[in-house]
């Protein structure tokens, strides 16, 4: 029996590896070159820039907030989610966390039913808090930032989902987001969180930009 050849299943192996990587990414444990998941890298940046409030816009069921907590972030979280079903999951995730609040609003520039962040600023941000804004709202990111008004200049940092130009572009384009964050908000790029890639070409389709104000150090 020992002389029999050992069968090889390269396709099966790659499938299993792909599923493991996908599951790791789903739960926030996809690791970068430094060996840490994105949430852990972000928590280090939040600590370095002394950000003690994360405003999570488009929070859905609370995955991002949960990842931050598991990575060791102990500051406040304010999660915005207007849709009833994901918000119920979000409220359950935050129920035992006194430093995690849930707000049932869509944010934007005040058009339609969306609320402006500057109208809610004093309700969300306590005096002296250093706020980090996380946006997962696809093509509404620019509207949310416009809705922050003059308070946008008070943000310590920003994480925003972007896409790359092409037929599958979805939401704020990478170059537009970088220009907006650098030029209008005066922030510098500190990290990238890669998103999905085109399975046929390997071309990256989306990524999150993580930016902070250097003068906040």
């Amino acid at each position: 029996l020992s002389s029999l050849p050992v069968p090889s299943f390269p396709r099966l192996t790659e499938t299993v590896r792909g599923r493991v990587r996908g599951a790791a990414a789903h739960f926030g444990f996809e690791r970068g070159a430094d060996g840490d998941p994105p949430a852990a890298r972000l928590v280090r940046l939040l600590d370095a820039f002394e950000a003690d409030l994360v405003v999570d816009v488009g929070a859905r069921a609370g995955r991002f907030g949960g990842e931050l907590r598991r990575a060791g972030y102990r500051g406040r979280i304010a999660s915005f989610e207007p849709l009833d079903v994901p918000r119920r999951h979000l409220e359950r995730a935050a129920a035992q966390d006194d430093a995690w609040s849930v707000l049932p609003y869509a944010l934007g520039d005040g058009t339609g039913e969306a609320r402006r962040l500057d109208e809610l600023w004093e309700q969300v941000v306590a005096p002296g808090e250093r706020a980090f804004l996380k946006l997962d709202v696809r093509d509404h990111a620019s509207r949310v930032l416009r809705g922050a008004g003059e308070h946008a200049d008070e943000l310590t940092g920003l994480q925003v989902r972007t896409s790359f130009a092409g037929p599958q572009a979805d939401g704020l384009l990478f170059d537009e987001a970088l220009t907006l964050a650098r030029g209008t908000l005066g922030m510098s790029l500190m990290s990238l969180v890669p998103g999905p890639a085109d399975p046929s070409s390997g071309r990256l389709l989306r990524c999150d930009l993580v930016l902070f104000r250097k003068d906040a150090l």
Side-chain angles (χ1 to χ4, degrees):
L1 289 177
S2 60
S3 62
L4 292 176
V6 177
S8 175
F9 302 101
R11 291 184 181 177
L12 178 60
T13 301
E14 285 304 311
T15 299
V16 172
R17 286 177 180 169
R19 288 178 178 174
V20 169
R21 285 194 295 267
H26 176 76
F27 288 104
F29 294 111
E30 186 176 24
R31 297 182 181 275
D34 58 3
D36 283 340
R41 296 198 298 272
L42 177 57
V43 168
R44 289 203 300 272
L45 285 167
L46 293 172
D47 288 343
F49 286 88
E50 299 181 348
D52 49 9
L53 168 65
V54 172
V55 180
D56 183 13
V57 181
R60 296 181 175 82
R63 171 184 162 187
F64 179 73
E67 290 173 0
L68 288 183
R69 286 295 190 237
R70 289 190 292 274
Y73 174 69
R74 294 293 175 260
R76 284 207 312 119
I77 302 173
S79 295
F80 286 82
E81 178 49 58
L83 300 178
D84 291 340
V85 173
R87 191 174 65 250
R88 284 197 290 270
H89 292 285
L90 172 62
E91 288 169 343
R92 283 197 291 270
Q96 304 302 317
D97 191 331
D98 293 337
W100 189 349
S101 57
V102 177
L103 297 97
Y105 307 123
L107 291 186
D109 57 6
T111 58
E113 298 181 359
R115 302 285 300 272
R116 291 178 60 93
L117 181 56
D118 58 4
E119 296 173 351
L120 301 167
W121 188 265
E122 293 184 0
Q123 176 184 341
V124 176
V125 184
E129 280 189 317
R130 296 164 67 89
F132 176 87
L133 180 62
K134 198 269 188 180
L135 297 178
D136 189 359
V137 289
R138 297 192 177 184
D139 55 343
H140 297 299
S142 296
R143 296 179 186 178
V144 176
L145 289 170
R146 283 198 300 271
E150 295 180 356
H151 292 293
D153 292 333
E154 300 177 39
L155 293 171
T156 298
L158 169 70
Q159 178 169 336
V160 58
R161 176 155 295 185
T162 69
S163 62
F164 294 92
Q168 300 185 60
D170 177 22
L172 193 63
L173 294 179
F174 179 92
D175 291 340
E176 294 173 346
L178 202 54
T179 299
L180 173 65
R182 284 176 166 174
T184 305
L185 300 177
M187 295 184 181
S188 298
L189 184 64
M190 296 292 170
S191 184
L192 288 171
V193 182
D198 186 307
S200 59
S201 67
R203 181 176 178 270
L204 191 64
L205 299 176
R206 293 196 303 273
C207 74
D208 280 18
L209 304 183
V210 180
L211 308 106
F212 283 85
R213 295 185 191 279
K214 285 189 174 180
D215 59 8
L217 279 172

